[in-house]
Amino acid sequence: MSDTKVLKLVPKGKVKVSEAAAPAPVEEKPQPVEEKKPQLKTFRPAPITKIEPASLPKPQAPPPVRSKPAAAPERRQRDKRERRDRREQPRLSREQLLQMYRTMYLSRRLDDKEIQLKNQNKIFFQISGAGHEAILVAAGMALKPGYDWFYPYYRDRALCLQLGMTPLEQLLSAVGAAQDPNSHGRQMPSHWGHTKLNIVSQSSPTGTQLLQAVGCAEAGYRFKLIKELRKRASNFRRDEVVYVSLGDGTSSEGEFWEALNSACNLKLPVLFLLEDNGYAISVPVEVQTAGGDVSRLIKNFPNLYVQRCDGTNALESLAVMKRAVQYCREGKGPSFVHAKVIRPYSHSLSDDEKLYRCEEERTADAERDPLKRFSAVLLGEKVIEADGLQKIKDEVEALVNEATDQALASPQPDPDTVKLYVFSPDVDPTAKEFDTEADAELSGNAGTMVDLINRCLHTEMARDPRIVVFGEDVADCSREEFLGQVKGKGGVFKVTANLQRKFGSARVFNSPLAEANIVGRAIGMATRGLKPVVEIQFFDYIWPAMHQIRNELAVLRWRSGGDWKAPVVIRVPVGGYLKGGAVYHSQSGVSTFTQIPGLRVIYPANALDANGLLRTAIRCDDPVLFLEHKHLYRQAYNKSQYPPDDFMIPFGKARTVREGTDLSIITYGALVQRSLVAAKQAEQQGISVEVIDLRSLQPYDWNAITATVQKTGKAIVAHEDSLSFGYGAEIAARIADELFEFLDAPVRRVAATDTFVAYAPQLEDIILPQVADVAKAIAELKSY
């Protein structure tokens, strides 16, 4: 659509402005223009061709004969769509048009001011949203701050301004001020977040926000299905929309396709905005995307409403965004808007686009600058004169300068706050209220670890309707009509058996075979107040979710300064000692996760501990990686009777499973039983061995370690992880560092070889630590 096309004008008195289209207030309003005003008028943009929602393939009609007017029905359908589109065009008053321009110009001037501050070494990073302003202001006008939910990316400065974020709040982020509402000085500028506006904390990895946005929308979907939650859904609206944006480069990420898949499958109200400026840093879109056009690739996703627009044209963008939002609000499914925009500046101030973009291309982009185009419309249609437009610019300039002075004078974060919000400040899972172990009365027949974990899930789901359980194969039967005819799956190890039968498919359901999808969606749900307890089927396949675990789940609370949290529980079968497990069903690399700040890591060695620790994990307020050793699932030696429904074991509390005086073994998981067997063998030789089961790896019980080392003077750290860089290295190093004066011998480690686990049993026996390896270490250390 041409910007210079004369648009139909109607008197202001006849204009109807929808509430959703009303822009967020800006701190200063433009003063009345002194020149003679034109009659107040309203614009109605020309119709925009749009792609209809994708649907299932229909039988193809035979091709029309050229000599017959077979195309007439198609023309009638097209004309009908265009008439409908014209009726749907937004009506805007003069004030709204000027407000749109003001917000767009404010966004650009904030970018320019940050660039100036960076060049003056007053801030430390800058990445701009220049060239994206029109589509983003349009998005903000079509959506509702504090009502809808927002997962932006770093170009979305204009959106945040339109939603109500102030210039000062954005500049506080640039200078890293303590009062920065985006991250309180913990993240780079343009990493948006604002609790009052429902802008969820943004991170740097491109694309991780997409699955979280889907989970956010899915939380609303499940709140509607779970009857016990309907009265508790105070922050849910029946027609809410979840906005998520991305650049053209991000569409190459697998999580983009995973997010589309789940959003379309569940018909979730997610509005995907693709801001396509043609480049991912220096890589052009035709290199990123087959055919160079993402919207053509996704058009056959079911329930997805796909539209394209010129994202530098403010009025066309607004018309398209309002239709996309309406489609979501009506519960028809997700929308996808492909907006072609420009990037007039380099990717960031760390990039120089002249190194890879020719002058001709950059000049052509400059002609499509959304500010230039929109100001031409305002002037050409006599909405405002040049002097009035300049007055708006002067007011914005003054506002930006004032906000800059305030931001530069704002206090920096107190260094003493650096450790705040790594974990929850409200719920401490190491506290006494989580310790009901001592007085617990056990009853019933002894059950395996699988039995007691399953019982914990049943009792906790009955207690708290916010708990949802999902993952691969965790449901009894996804096709509910067959539940009466089949026994049910309930997980590959049967740990989640009968949960779906008891609590329904709204709370227990299968996921796609995509680990990032599981964790990303869980983060979005937890952000909204649900309590996801998800399963990664094997520890060996957790790695596709590592991005979501390390860069999102664990860091969300800290990076937002405590404003956002996601207390997800991730259950994971782990470990070897299963004949035939081999390389990809025997992994045990727990040290990779215990070094992640913000993540609790729990590893029970018997059925009773598994029950109590899982209950603590579910009731605590932090993300928890709950590791369940596959070899221990059904061992007779670790069975237990059933504890009461409030049985809990606090994190960071080790258990002395065998008293001794000559030396100590500090261990966890499958090595607990092997250490006990070795200790009994050593007793026959007159060696008294104490065995400590850590149970909790992050946090771990340093007091128990200190006490046992001071008692015996000699220590072995035994674990299933590889020897080099394994979990035991940290324990051994700290003992040597802080307890050296109590040691009568060097700290020994017993661990797996620095290889992978092999399939052949005789190789597995050599690779993984056995009873004989522990016994040998005991004998050598005793004789030191």
Side-chain angles (χ1 to χ4, degrees):
M1 186 182 73
S2 170
D3 275 335
T4 57
K5 181 175 180 178
V6 177
L7 302 175
K8 187 181 293 186
L9 304 173
V10 297
K12 180 183 177 184
K14 298 181 180 180
V15 174
K16 291 184 178 180
V17 181
S18 70
E19 181 181 350
V26 181
E27 292 180 352
E28 294 184 17
K29 296 182 179 179
Q31 299 298 317
V33 182
E34 295 180 358
E35 75 274 15
K36 183 178 179 181
K37 298 180 182 178
Q39 184 179 5
L40 300 184
K41 301 171 182 180
T42 299
F43 283 86
R44 300 193 66 162
I48 302 155
T49 303
K50 63 182 179 181
I51 302 172
E52 295 290 5
S55 59
L56 295 176
K58 296 180 180 179
Q60 296 297 315
V65 181
R66 289 179 181 272
S67 60
K68 295 181 181 180
E74 295 181 8
R75 286 199 300 270
R76 285 195 296 271
Q77 288 295 324
R78 182 191 63 202
D79 293 343
K80 183 179 179 180
R81 287 197 301 268
E82 290 182 354
R83 288 194 298 271
R84 182 189 63 196
D85 290 348
R86 280 194 294 270
R87 291 195 302 270
E88 293 175 356
Q89 298 306 313
R91 290 168 166 261
L92 298 176
S93 67
R94 176 177 183 274
E95 285 76 12
Q96 286 179 300
L97 290 166
L98 295 181
Q99 186 63 54
M100 283 185 73
Y101 178 80
R102 178 187 175 88
T103 305
M104 290 168 60
Y105 185 74
L106 175 60
S107 179
R108 182 69 61 88
R109 290 304 298 136
L110 284 167
D111 272 326
D112 293 340
K113 176 58 70 173
E114 286 187 358
I115 292 170
Q116 180 187 44
L117 293 172
K118 174 66 171 65
N119 291 334
Q120 295 171 346
N121 292 320
K122 293 180 179 178
I123 67 172
F124 319 107
F125 178 79
Q126 207 282 330
I127 190 165
S128 82
H132 295 229
E133 295 94 346
I135 185 65
L136 291 170
V137 170
M141 293 176 69
L143 292 158
K144 303 177 184 179
Y147 185 100
D148 296 318
W149 289 79
F150 301 90
Y151 286 79
Y153 91 119
Y154 47 78
R155 304 282 184 208
D156 284 16
R157 180 187 300 279
L159 168 78
C160 296
L161 289 170
Q162 181 63 35
L163 293 176
M165 192 178 290
T166 68
L168 175 59
E169 288 175 326
Q170 295 197 349
L171 288 167
L172 287 172
S173 175
V175 302
Q179 296 303 312
D180 159 36
N182 299 275
S183 75
H184 305 280
R186 296 186 170 193
Q187 293 208 83
M188 287 175 167
S190 299
H191 287 51
W192 313 111
H194 202 293
T195 54
K196 292 182 180 179
L197 303 175
N198 287 351
I199 303 174
V200 182
S201 171
Q202 176 203 328
S203 66
S204 290
T206 57
T208 48
Q209 75 275 16
L210 294 160
L211 286 169
Q212 294 166 40
V214 170
C216 177
E218 187 175 355
Y221 165 78
R222 299 205 176 274
F223 259 78
K224 294 174 186 176
L225 295 177
I226 302 170
K227 62 181 182 180
E228 298 93 339
L229 293 180
R230 291 172 189 166
K231 294 181 179 180
R232 299 169 58 175
S234 59
N235 67 331
F236 288 87
R237 306 325 199 272
R238 295 199 66 83
D239 66 342
E240 67 186 21
V241 176
V242 178
Y243 162 100
V244 63
S245 59
L246 66 151
D248 48 285
T250 299
S251 67
S252 299
E253 295 280 358
E255 293 179 29
F256 166 70
W257 299 93
E258 292 179 25
L260 277 178
N261 182 49
S262 289
C264 292
N265 201 24
L266 296 174
K267 294 181 66 176
L268 298 175
V270 182
L271 195 163
F272 296 88
L273 173 59
L274 173 60
E275 301 169 40
D276 182 358
N277 61 33
Y279 278 92
I281 306 185
S282 68
V283 182
V285 67
E286 70 272 13
V287 177
Q288 290 279 349
T289 304
D293 189 340
V294 173
S295 55
R296 292 180 64 184
L297 300 181
I298 66 168
K299 64 182 181 181
N300 288 324
F301 271 85
N303 307 313
L304 183 65
Y305 181 29
V306 182
Q307 296 181 97
R308 300 165 59 91
C309 71
D310 181 349
T312 67
N313 185 316
L315 300 177
E316 178 181 340
S317 295
L318 181 57
V320 167
M321 290 303 301
K322 288 177 74 66
R323 289 201 295 268
V325 170
Q326 181 180 2
Y327 183 84
C328 292
R329 290 210 196 283
E330 292 174 354
K332 296 178 179 178
S335 293
F336 186 93
V337 174
H338 185 168
K340 296 288 287 186
V341 295
I342 63 168
R343 198 189 74 189
Y345 300 164
S346 296
H347 168 76
S348 70
L349 289 191
S350 302
D351 173 51
D352 182 1
E353 67 174 14
K354 293 179 182 178
L355 298 174
Y356 52 86
R357 297 188 71 187
C358 68
E359 185 63 29
E360 181 181 3
E361 182 182 36
R362 295 171 61 239
T363 301
D365 267 8
E367 291 303 312
R368 295 180 57 233
D369 189 303
L371 288 173
K372 180 178 180 179
R373 297 185 71 184
F374 196 39
S375 63
V377 170
L378 297 178
L379 293 171
E381 296 295 336
K382 308 295 184 185
V383 176
I384 194 170
E385 300 296 333
D387 290 347
L389 205 61
Q390 185 59 49
K391 189 170 185 178
I392 292 176
K393 293 180 179 180
D394 292 342
E395 291 168 350
V396 167
E397 191 72 25
L399 178 63
V400 170
N401 288 336
E402 181 183 358
T404 301
D405 292 341
Q406 289 180 267
L408 290 171
S410 297
Q412 291 285 294
D414 188 329
D416 292 339
T417 65
V418 70
K419 292 184 179 180
L420 291 179
Y421 309 117
V422 174
F423 294 108
S424 172
D426 305 313
V427 180
D428 181 5
T430 70
K432 290 183 178 179
E433 53 263 37
F434 284 94
D435 193 347
T436 63
E437 187 176 18
D439 301 324
E441 294 185 5
L442 306 182
S443 62
N445 295 326
T448 64
M449 183 182 285
V450 167
D451 296 329
L452 268 71
I453 292 174
N454 182 267
R455 171 69 69 87
C456 178
L457 291 170
H458 269 88
T459 58
E460 285 302 290
M461 290 190 75
R463 179 188 65 87
D464 187 353
R466 299 178 308 123
I467 297 173
V468 292
V469 172
F470 64 99
E472 300 164 24
D473 299 302
V474 302
D476 294 306
C477 183
S478 287
R479 294 173 175 168
E480 291 183 286
E481 63 271 24
F482 299 147
L483 273 174
Q485 306 173 38
V486 298
K487 184 176 181 180
K489 182 71 174 176
V492 296
F493 297 102
K494 308 299 181 185
V495 178
T496 55
N498 295 316
L499 288 176
Q500 180 193 6
R501 293 182 191 275
K502 175 70 174 179
F503 299 103
S505 299
R507 297 182 63 193
V508 184
F509 48 93
N510 286 329
S511 72
L513 200 160
E515 288 77 13
N517 179 287
I518 295 169
V519 178
R521 286 163 62 194
I523 294 171
M525 293 184 205
T527 301
R528 298 296 303 277
L530 290 179
K531 184 70 180 188
V533 181
V534 301
E535 179 182 301
I536 301 296
Q537 198 166 85
F538 290 92
F539 182 88
D540 314 69
Y541 306 127
I542 199 171
W543 310 113
M546 193 62 176
H547 216 2
Q548 290 289 344
I549 295 171
R550 171 60 180 84
N551 285 326
E552 301 295 336
L553 178 65
V555 76
L556 177 61
R557 190 196 306 270
W558 188 88
R559 78 177 187 222
S560 66
D563 288 343
W564 300 96
K565 63 180 181 179
V568 174
V569 178
I570 306 175
R571 293 183 40 256
V572 191
V574 67
Y577 300 108
L578 291 174
K579 300 302 182 185
V583 180
Y584 299 110
H585 293 82
S586 305
Q587 293 178 24
S588 189
V590 297
S591 59
T592 303
F593 295 90
T594 52
Q595 66 173 304
I596 299 175
L599 183 67
R600 307 285 192 182
V601 182
I602 308 303
Y603 205 139
N606 61 64
L608 186 61
D609 287 354
N611 181 282
L613 288 166
L614 180 58
R615 186 168 285 104
T616 299
I618 292 172
R619 297 189 187 186
C620 88
D621 199 34
D622 296 314
V624 180
L625 184 67
F626 194 84
L627 301 172
E628 303 165 6
H629 202 292
K630 302 187 295 290
H631 177 70
L632 302 179
Y633 266 153
R634 290 180 170 86
Q635 295 295 335
Y637 59 74
N638 68 6
K639 284 185 174 183
S640 171
Q641 291 180 288
Y642 291 86
D645 292 350
D646 64 348
F647 177 70
M648 289 181 287
I649 299 172
F651 293 170
K653 180 187 177 185
R655 185 168 69 97
T656 302
V657 295
R658 191 178 196 276
E659 296 281 354
T661 56
D662 291 331
L663 61 85
S664 304
I665 299 178
I666 300 158
T667 187
Y668 60 88
L671 263 295
V672 173
Q673 178 64 16
R674 281 161 175 74
S675 297
L676 284 172
V677 173
K680 290 177 182 177
Q681 293 176 359
E683 186 176 29
Q684 297 174 3
Q685 302 170 17
I687 306 172
S688 177
V689 179
E690 185 156 286
V691 179
I692 305 295
D693 177 7
L694 289 175
R695 304 195 291 190
S696 172
L697 306 186
Q698 172 56 286
Y700 61 86
D701 190 343
W702 178 243
N703 291 333
I705 295 171
T706 299
T708 192
V709 170
Q710 290 178 345
K711 177 181 179 181
T712 69
K714 296 180 179 180
I716 296 171
V717 182
H719 59 74
E720 189 177 339
D721 207 353
S722 297
L723 179 68
S724 299
F725 314 107
Y727 181 79
E730 164 64 20
I731 304 298
R734 190 171 178 187
I735 292 172
D737 184 30
E738 299 184 28
L739 302 174
F740 182 78
E741 64 269 30
F742 299 102
L743 290 174
D744 296 324
V747 180
R748 291 292 302 272
R749 287 176 291 158
V750 176
T753 58
D754 291 342
T755 67
F756 306 101
V757 180
Y759 174 76
Q762 62 270 33
L763 295 181
E764 182 188 86
D765 288 346
I766 293 297
I767 292 164
L768 296 179
Q770 306 296 333
V771 171
D773 299 310
V774 181
K776 180 182 178 182
I778 291 172
E780 291 177 349
L781 196 61
K782 178 64 170 68
S783 62
Y784 180 85

